[in-house]
Amino acid sequence: MLFSEIVITGCGNPLFADDGFGPAVIEEMQKLQLPDNVTIIDAGLGGPHFIFTLLDPEVTKKLVIIDIADFGAEPGKITKLRPEDLPPGAYRDAHSWDLSEPLQRIKNDIEITIIGCQPKRVTNPEFEIGLSDEIKEAIPKTIRIVLETIGVNYGTSIECLQERRSAEIS
């Protein structure tokens, strides 16, 4: 397996409405030309556990996790979190496994940034495919934050993505 210096992963399940935010961001990022030392992964539903198989502290220097996060804001608002911002039990996957602790264990070897988007609605167990408008509008901003976090300047390409997204929503 080849490990990357920078790993960007989108977590979530597109079958549960806004929970598909992480994979949607990755889908848009796959359209960008990124440096060779960057790997982007749609980690899907089992993302948080899948992430740990993609890391080698000897090689990987940065991990960016994109996911929904309920932090009491308006839908579509974005926040950047570090593992130390997550109280025990605050970051769980779909199987209710606490992922705060494993992130705490690797944070001294790998710089970890969690980019969370406040969801409008998440369905479970009912299926609902499709992101709310507020979450769709947050995708370009999230991509800009990811690129800033990893030190890549993509310029006006992201603004074009924002304009295209706005046209799709109208």
Side-chain angles (χ1 to χ4, degrees):
M1 172 182 279
L2 293 175
F3 296 100
S4 291
E5 185 177 340
I6 299 171
V7 176
I8 303 166
T9 183
C11 302
N13 188 341
L15 297 177
F16 297 145
D18 290 343
D19 193 36
F21 172 72
V25 171
I26 295 301
E27 182 179 329
E28 291 299 326
M29 289 195 73
Q30 288 172 336
K31 298 172 185 175
L32 302 175
Q33 195 77 335
L34 296 171
D36 291 340
N37 67 337
V38 177
T39 298
I40 56 175
I41 303 286
D42 174 352
L45 180 61
H49 289 286
F50 181 55
I51 291 169
F52 298 107
T53 65
L54 302 172
L55 308 175
D56 177 355
E58 299 293 319
V59 178
T60 308
K61 302 302 172 211
K62 288 186 181 187
L63 168 63
V64 179
I65 301 170
I66 304 161
D67 205 350
I68 58 168
D70 186 356
F71 54 100
E74 292 294 316
K77 294 295 179 188
I78 305 295
T79 189
K80 279 176 78 169
L81 302 165
R82 299 164 305 166
E84 46 273 13
D85 298 329
L86 301 171
Y91 188 46
R92 297 182 174 274
D93 76 354
H95 306 289
S96 296
W97 292 323
D98 180 9
L99 300 164
S100 307
E101 195 273 326
L103 291 174
Q104 292 289 340
R105 274 188 278 144
I106 64 171
K107 73 177 183 172
N108 294 330
D109 298 318
I110 299 172
E111 178 186 325
I112 302 170
T113 303
I114 302 156
I115 300 175
C117 180
Q118 177 69 45
K120 183 173 185 177
R121 66 182 183 278
V122 176
T123 58
N124 187 356
E126 306 85 31
F127 295 123
E128 181 182 337
I129 298 174
L131 302 174
S132 61
D133 289 345
E134 295 89 340
I135 305 310
K136 288 178 188 175
E137 291 171 8
I139 292 172
K141 179 180 181 183
T142 302
I143 293 171
R144 278 194 305 274
I145 293 169
V146 170
L147 295 176
E148 288 170 11
T149 300
I150 65 170
V152 172
N153 182 356
Y154 224 86
T156 57
S157 298
I158 303 303
E159 276 66 35
C160 293
L161 174 63
Q162 175 68 49
E163 290 170 12
R164 190 173 79 231
R165 279 269 174 214
S166 295
E168 289 173 2
I169 293 171
S170 299

